[in-house]
């Protein structure tokens, strides 16, 4: 027997609930399921008038409520909970049915689940969903992986519920097979970490070097948000900085414990980048910065470690410095995205996903946490050169960085001189300088490796692999 619901959602915590409501608001009949029935009841009680819901109690009822081929979305905690839910539902499904995992799963888990379920005739679509609670309800950016066939049945629905970019394009694309969607979502989050850290460093510099109050910095971010840095993260930064704590009357940012937490997607981005050999130093510094912030034990050192004498700028100097920080932020942001896109290109190559980088940039233009005006430009750059690995290969971005570099260097130098930690700004600049350098000390590294381990080296002037007899007469032998 086939049910009437076009889609089902199991796991009705806030993300699942909002996604279910989004489907219903867009005219789909949505079957609902949750381990504790109270959540299902609450959803229908509070939002039942938003569309057609079919509340179900047991897994069997849930599956029976779905039309065929069945499409059921799992919105539970990534990891064991996801496997448990799949284990519960898969035996009730039939050939051609589709399970969609909308959590932040590790792409290797998604690859495994997709393989196992494929063997049983079930499509498994690991899907990145970005935009937080609000996005889930009003339109997220959606990054589905899985088979072409599953996208044919699912794509039109996802297009309907997704965010739309300013030009009206839906913020969803079939990213690629098996784990491609979750890989791209992971990298999105890595870039998100970098973006947030860079914004944090800009804030810290404006606070400690320019001597501005959080409210004044909020105004600066608002101004920046009308220019090339326009983005969701800049917008909410201004909101957070201008918020005053109700209990103390102090700036909210001054009463929040300065230890950043993480659920792990940024860390995965760096772990995988290490495996793929992709330099994501800006993203890595953002992950490490969260980790440093959390080490209260290490940070006890603040009591006895010396720094330079504090020097706050005068009013005119401060205003000029703020402009420089904008340049540094923009240039560093280009580097962070360059590194993220490089990782996607490398993952795509490694796993044979054939990911269209321009399409990824395009679906990040709306709905997701890193949505930004800047992504229009990235989309255009990849449309013009689909095989381009890093954004710095694009003439437009290269010119912008060239124009920003003097201020970028001044900002990093000032941070160093004044003892303000800016690991992501500095790493981004070092990455840029590494790409520009005609010669890197890697030649010396090769020499050292050959000296202590006979690891061999190649030469600039002829082909072949060589070793110098360091312990003997230092002649060179070809190996
Ligand atoms: C999104 C967010 C979302 C979530 C992150 C936060 O794209 O909507 O990235 O996935 O907020 O998990 O990550 P951390 O807890 O690791 O900061």
């Amino acid at each position: 027997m086939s049910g009437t619901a076009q889609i089902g959602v199991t796991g009705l915590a806030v993300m699942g609930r909002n996604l279910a409501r989004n489907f219903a608001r867009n005219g789909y009949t949505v079957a609902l399921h949750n381990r504790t029935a109270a959540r299902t009841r609450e959803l229908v009680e509070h939002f039942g008038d938003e569309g057609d819901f079919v509340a179900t109690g047991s897994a069997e009822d849930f599956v029976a409520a779905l039309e065929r081929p069945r499409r059921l979305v799992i919105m539970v905690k990534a990891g064991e909970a996801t496997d448990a839910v799949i284990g519960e539902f898969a035996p009730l499904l039939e050939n051609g049915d589709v399970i969609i995992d909308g959590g932040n799963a590790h792409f290797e888990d998604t690859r495994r689940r997709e393989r196992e379920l494929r063997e049983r005739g079930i499509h498994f679509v690991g899907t990145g969903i970005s935009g937080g609670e609000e996005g889930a309800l009003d339109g997220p950016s959606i990054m589905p992986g899985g088979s072409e066939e599953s996208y044919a049945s699912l794509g039109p629905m996802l297009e309907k519920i997704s965010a739309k970019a300013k030009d009206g394009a839906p913020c969803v694309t079939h990213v690629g097979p098996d784990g491609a969607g979750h890989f791209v979502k992971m990298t999105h989050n890595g870039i998100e970490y970098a973006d947030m850290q860079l914004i944090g460093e800009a804030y810290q510099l404006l606070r400690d070097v320019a001597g501005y109050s959080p409210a004044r910095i909020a105004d600066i971010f608002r101004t920046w948000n009308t220019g090339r840095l326009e983005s969701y993260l800049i917008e909410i930064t201004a909101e957070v900085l201008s918020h005053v704590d109700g209990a103390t009357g102090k700036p909210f940012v001054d009463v929040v414990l300065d230890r950043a937490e993480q659920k792990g997607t940024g860390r995965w981005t760096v772990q995988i980048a290490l495996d793929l050999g992709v330099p994501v130093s800006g993203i890595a510094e953002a992950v490490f910065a969260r980790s440093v912030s959390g080490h209260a034990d290490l940070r006890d050192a603040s009591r006895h470690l010396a720094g330079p004498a504090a020097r706050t700028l005068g009013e005119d100097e401060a205003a000029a410095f703020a402009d420089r920080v904008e340049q540094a932020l923009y240039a560093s942001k280009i580097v962070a995205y360059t590194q993220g896109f490089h990782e996607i290109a490398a993952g795509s190559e490694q796993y044979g996903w054939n990911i269209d980088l321009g399409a990824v940039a395009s679906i990040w233009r709306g709905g997701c946490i890193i949505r930004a005006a800047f992504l229009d430009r990235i989309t255009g750059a990849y449309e013009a050169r689909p095989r381009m690995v890093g954004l710095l290969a694009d003439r437009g971005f290269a010119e912008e960085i060239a124009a920003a570099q003097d201020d970028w260097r001044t900002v990093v130098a000032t941070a160093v001189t004044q003892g303000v930690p800016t690991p992501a700004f500095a790493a981004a600049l070092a990455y840029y300088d590494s790409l520009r350098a005609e010669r890197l000390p890697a030649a010396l590294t090769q020499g050292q490796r050959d000296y202590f381990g006979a690891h061999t080296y190649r030469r600039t002037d002829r082909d072949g692999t060589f070793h110098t007899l360091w312990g003997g007469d230092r002649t060179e032998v070809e190996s």
Side-chain angles (χ1 to χ4, degrees):
M1 199 193 79
S2 183
T4 56
Q6 288 132 312
I7 191 122
V9 180
T10 179
L12 299 174
V14 66
M15 286 295 287
R17 182 183 69 206
N18 284 0
L19 205 64
R21 291 172 60 199
N22 188 350
F23 277 115
R25 286 171 169 196
N26 276 288
Y28 296 109
T29 302
V30 186
L32 302 172
H33 177 264
N34 195 67
R35 204 142 50 120
T36 47
R39 276 218 167 122
T40 316
R41 273 200 305 277
E42 268 163 36
L43 196 163
V44 177
E45 216 170 278
H46 292 115
F47 307 107
D49 57 351
E50 289 184 352
D52 295 327
F53 295 105
V54 183
T56 69
S58 67
E60 288 78 8
D61 287 350
F62 179 58
V63 169
L66 295 166
E67 69 173 27
R68 286 191 194 142
R70 302 180 180 92
R71 303 177 201 93
L72 58 115
V73 184
I74 302 178
M75 292 299 289
V76 300
K77 221 166 164 250
E80 283 169 19
T82 306
D83 281 319
V85 173
I86 293 171
E88 187 181 1
F89 287 102
L92 307 173
L93 299 179
E94 289 170 318
N95 229 3
D97 288 349
V98 186
I99 297 181
I100 302 116
D101 173 15
N104 273 333
H106 193 291
F107 77 98
E108 288 287 16
D109 285 338
T110 303
R111 279 162 59 78
R112 167 180 58 81
R113 290 168 184 146
E114 197 274 341
R115 199 172 47 242
E116 288 167 4
L117 288 164
R118 186 168 6 109
E119 281 162 14
R120 299 160 73 169
I122 299 166
H123 296 283
F124 183 73
V125 182
T127 304
I129 300 181
S130 178
E133 304 173 20
E134 219 176 277
L137 184 62
D138 297 328
S141 172
I142 311 178
M143 296 152 248
S147 65
E148 288 280 356
E149 201 185 330
S150 59
Y151 193 74
S153 108
L154 200 60
M157 299 177 81
L158 297 182
E159 282 171 23
K160 220 159 173 195
I161 67 151
S162 72
K164 308 294 175 287
K166 280 193 183 134
D167 62 4
C171 293
V172 55
T173 189
H174 180 222
V175 174
D178 60 78
H182 274 144
F183 186 96
V184 165
K185 176 61 180 18
M186 171 192 80
T187 315
H188 164 283
N189 282 25
I191 295 173
E192 173 185 304
Y193 277 45
D195 242 345
M196 291 167 72
Q197 175 65 22
L198 292 169
I199 290 172
E201 291 177 13
Y203 154 74
Q204 184 97 18
L205 286 165
L206 293 174
R207 190 95 196 250
D208 294 353
V209 179
Y212 290 159
S213 68
R216 182 145 183 207
I217 300 171
D219 284 340
I220 291 175
F221 276 106
R222 281 196 189 98
T223 310
W224 288 355
N225 201 37
T226 61
R228 60 187 178 172
L229 282 171
E230 181 195 329
S231 61
Y232 172 72
L233 283 170
I234 295 277
E235 180 192 326
I236 65 163
T237 300
E239 292 301 309
V240 174
L241 286 176
S242 56
H243 181 55
V244 173
D245 174 50
T248 59
K250 292 184 181 163
F252 167 80
V253 75
D254 286 349
V255 298
V256 175
L257 192 67
D258 59 343
R259 290 186 205 159
E261 297 183 10
Q262 56 178 309
K263 296 205 197 75
T265 41
R267 188 172 60 237
W268 293 346
T269 309
V270 178
Q271 285 170 339
I272 303 304
L274 289 173
D275 291 341
L276 291 170
V278 179
V280 293
S281 48
I283 298 173
E285 286 297 353
V287 176
F288 287 139
R290 288 197 191 190
S291 151
V292 166
S293 79
H295 275 286
D297 44 355
L298 288 175
R299 293 180 62 196
D300 259 357
S302 66
R303 299 208 191 114
H304 67 270
L305 292 181
R311 191 181 82 86
T312 306
L313 301 176
E315 190 58 31
D316 287 352
E317 271 182 313
F321 182 70
D323 290 343
R324 291 202 170 99
V325 173
E326 191 269 348
Q327 299 275 4
L329 179 52
Y330 186 69
S332 303
K333 190 176 158 100
I334 293 175
V335 168
Y337 280 69
T338 292
Q339 295 182 347
F341 275 96
H342 185 186
E343 181 159 352
I344 296 174
S348 178
E349 177 80 26
Q350 170 81 12
Y351 298 100
W353 286 327
N354 201 18
I355 296 176
D356 177 340
L357 300 178
V360 170
S362 170
I363 65 167
W364 287 350
R365 291 180 302 156
C368 66
I369 302 296
I370 64 169
R371 62 185 181 263
F374 167 76
L375 278 153
D376 270 331
R377 303 261 323 280
I378 302 183
T379 307
Y382 276 114
E383 272 165 8
R385 293 177 65 187
R387 298 256 148 245
M388 181 177 76
V389 172
L391 296 180
L392 296 173
D394 176 75
R395 189 179 291 265
F397 283 119
E399 280 170 6
E400 281 183 309
I401 283 221
Q405 66 160 327
D406 284 350
D407 286 339
W408 193 12
R409 293 180 194 288
T410 304
V411 167
V412 172
T414 306
V416 171
T417 316
Q418 304 238 20
V420 178
T422 52
F425 274 179
L429 181 54
Y431 175 88
Y432 176 69
D433 282 334
S434 298
L435 299 197
R436 314 173 21 257
E438 217 164 288
R439 295 280 297 158
L440 289 168
L444 178 58
T445 308
Q446 285 297 81
Q448 293 161 330
R449 292 177 70 246
D450 190 57
Y451 189 105
F452 64 64
H455 292 303
T456 73
Y457 53 88
R458 284 175 295 150
R459 296 181 57 100
T460 56
D461 52 359
R462 53 183 201 272
D463 287 341
T465 308
F466 302 91
H467 167 58
T468 291
L469 301 172
W470 296 102
D473 62 0
R474 302 204 167 180
T475 53
E476 184 175 74
V477 290
E478 193 157 2
S479 57

